[in-house]
């Protein structure tokens, strides 16, 4: 429980849903955050892969301000220009012709689940099951918790939503064993993020696509964390889908799509977009304010040279982490693009995160500066820098990481 008296800000009126350090952030710029005491932090978490252009990039501020002066929302019952433009951009640069905007990744996945069930009812004799994977993370609504593969999550608020048999990532036989006439879809993250950055193999993803086609099931990719350039391609499914036949039927987006503002999306091919009027909607969905920001962010990411820059930075980060593994005798590094993880080989990741944040400033060169890292597992540190991170920032992070690992073990 946070002790409010140690802070200059009262915290007792927020619901306690997670343990938070006694820091209140007041400013962000690029790869850095500043807290209420004026201490700066190099941030390799970026709101959990959300602020993909760094904190407070001018392009986001300008799009918000300009749109707020024109039209904030006319209600989702009417068309608005920014949402039409952003849906058009996503369609032009992906395999999906139809987009439904949402406010969070969980809501996009909840929509994907509904769409797959609707499709199953119409085209597959009432099939409703969606095969998902152990350790998967799809969100915190009742259905997406049930779809997630975190132990205990499908019964935490029982009775929850059933119909999510679990398979094992990269084990095609485990999926085959669960496919039946009841199966409407298979849903997965191309790289399991919250599980600790565990990539599906390209071979597995291709086999899975072929299997779902043979059994007349949909393939849903949850790209809430991997989409919008994070893995070095615009969408992670591009790593395995060479042709339209290999592409998934449904993709969900979130996090980076809004560059920090609440914006997510459910994207589907034309033939799978089977919602009828009244079956999907929401007060804030596809508001011009948020979709104008999404349009500005996507425009930036589609600029020539941006995605090659992500690939380059990802390779550089991977090489720096490999050097840390070698020098400090750790287990290994892994990941795609700028979604990477360092496997320590022992359970002290939490201590590394705390040390980097709270103690690094005691070391020469880190005066009044901390480093923000994330530990999705006790033995794993995850890196989600801004997609425009510089080599200098990666070097500085690596230097701080080495100090924190040395101190923490
Ligand atoms: N899906 C994936 C792969 C995620 O990583 C997350 C969040 O971490 C979600 C869904 C849920 O998104 P949100 O927190 O925006 O509801």
């Amino acid at each position: 429980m946070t002790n409010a008296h140690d802070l200059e800000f009262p915290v007792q009126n927020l619901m306690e849903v997670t343990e938070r350090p006694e820091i209140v952030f007041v400013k962000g710029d690029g790869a850095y955050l500043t807290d209420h005491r004026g201490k700066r932090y190099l941030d390799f978490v970026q709101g959990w892969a959300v602020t993909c252009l760094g904190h407070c990039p001018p392009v986001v501020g300008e799009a918000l301000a300009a749109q707020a002066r024109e039209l904030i929302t006319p209600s989702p019952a009417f068309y608005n220009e920014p949402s039409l433009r952003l849906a058009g951009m996503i369609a032009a640069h992906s395999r999906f012709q139809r987009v439904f905007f949402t406010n969070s990744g969980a809501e996009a996945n909840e929509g994907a689940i509904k769409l797959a069930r609707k499709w199953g009812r119409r085209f597959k004799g009432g099939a409703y099951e969606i095969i998902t994977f152990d350790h998967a993370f799809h969100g915190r609504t009742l259905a997406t918790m049930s779809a997630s593969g975190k132990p205990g999550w499908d019964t935490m608020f029982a009775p929850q939503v059933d119909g999510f048999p679990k398979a094992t990532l990269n084990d095609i036989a485990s999926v085959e064993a669960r496919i039946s006439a009841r199966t409407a879809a298979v849903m997965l993250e191309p790289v399991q993020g919250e599980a600790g950055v565990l990539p599906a193999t390209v071979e597995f993803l291709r086999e899975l696509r072929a299997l779902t086609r043979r059994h007349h099931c949909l393939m849903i990719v949850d790209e809430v964390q991997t989409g919008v350039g994070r893995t070095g391609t615009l969408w992670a499914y591009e790593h395995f889908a060479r042709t339209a036949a290999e592409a998934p039927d449904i993709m969900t987006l979130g996090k980076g799509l809004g560059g920090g503002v609440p914006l997510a999306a459910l994207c589907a091919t034309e033939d799978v977009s089977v919602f009828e009027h009244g079956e999907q909607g929401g007060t804030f969905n596809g508001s011009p304010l948020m979709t104008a920001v999404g349009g500005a962010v996507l425009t930036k990411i589609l600029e020539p040279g941006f995605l090659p820059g992500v690939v380059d930075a990802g390779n550089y980060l991977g090489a720096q982490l490999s050097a840390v593994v070698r020098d400090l005798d750790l287990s290994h590094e892994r990941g795609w693009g700028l979604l990477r993880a360092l496997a320590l080989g022992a359970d002290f990741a939490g201590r590394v995160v705390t040390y980097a944040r709270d103690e690094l400033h005691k070391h020469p060169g880190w005066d009044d500066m901390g480093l923000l890292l994330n530990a999705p597992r006790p033995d794993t540190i995850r890196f989600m820098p801004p997609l425009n991170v510089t080599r200098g920032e990666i070097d500085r992070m690596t230097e701080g990481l080495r100090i924190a690992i040395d101190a923490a073990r």
Side-chain angles (χ1 to χ4, degrees), residues 372-385:
L372 298 179
L373 300 169
N374 166 251
R377 287 188 161 199
D379 63 351
T380 306
I381 298 175
R382 179 171 44 166
F383 306 86
M384 302 162 281

Side-chain angles (χ1 to χ4, degrees), residues 76-105:
F78 299 108
Y79 292 122
N80 71 75
E81 268 186 76
S83 73
L84 296 174
R85 207 177 309 124
L86 180 57
M89 287 173 77
I90 293 172
H93 293 278
S94 75
R95 303 269 182 200
F96 309 101
Q97 297 81 37
R98 297 281 182 167
V99 181
F100 173 75
F101 291 111
T102 67
N103 307 290
S104 70

Side-chain angles (χ1 to χ4, degrees), residues 22 26 30 50 60 75 80 94 101 116 123 128 155-156 175 214 219 227 245 291-292 295 300-301 310 315 334 346 352:
E22 295 189 357
V26 294
V50 166
V60 167
S75 117
N80 71 75
S94 75
F101 291 111
F123 295 117
Y128 68 94
T155 52
M156 202 177 276
V175 184
R214 273 203 306 284
M219 181 179 186
T291 51
K300 194 88 196 152
I301 284 170
V310 176
N315 289 339
R334 59 176 179 254
V352 174

Side-chain angles (χ1 to χ4, degrees), residues 114-189:
K114 284 168 65 175
L115 189 61
R117 286 189 174 192
K118 171 82 189 190
W119 177 91
R121 194 176 313 154
R122 187 182 287 181
F123 295 117
K124 204 179 165 185
Y128 68 94
E129 283 187 355
I130 299 178
I131 297 173
T132 57
F133 290 83
D134 291 332
H135 307 297
F137 184 82
H138 297 299
R140 293 171 183 278
T141 62
L142 284 180
T144 56
M145 282 186 79
S146 300
S148 296
K150 285 191 162 200
W153 266 41
D154 50 350
T155 52
M156 202 177 276
F157 299 102
Q160 277 171 242
V161 181
D162 71 5
F164 297 101
K166 299 289 179 303
T168 306
L169 194 70
N170 293 330
D171 177 354
I172 199 71
S174 76
V175 184
E176 210 155 4
R178 283 158 188 81
I179 284 199
S180 73
R182 291 187 304 277
T183 311
V186 177
M187 171 160 146
L188 83 168
E189 301 153 84

Side-chain angles (χ1 to χ4, degrees), residues 104-107 109 137-139 189 194 222 224-225 255:
S104 70
E107 194 189 350
N109 285 335
F137 184 82
H138 297 299
E189 301 153 84
E194 299 307 301
D222 175 348
V224 168
Q225 192 156 141
K255 294 190 181 281

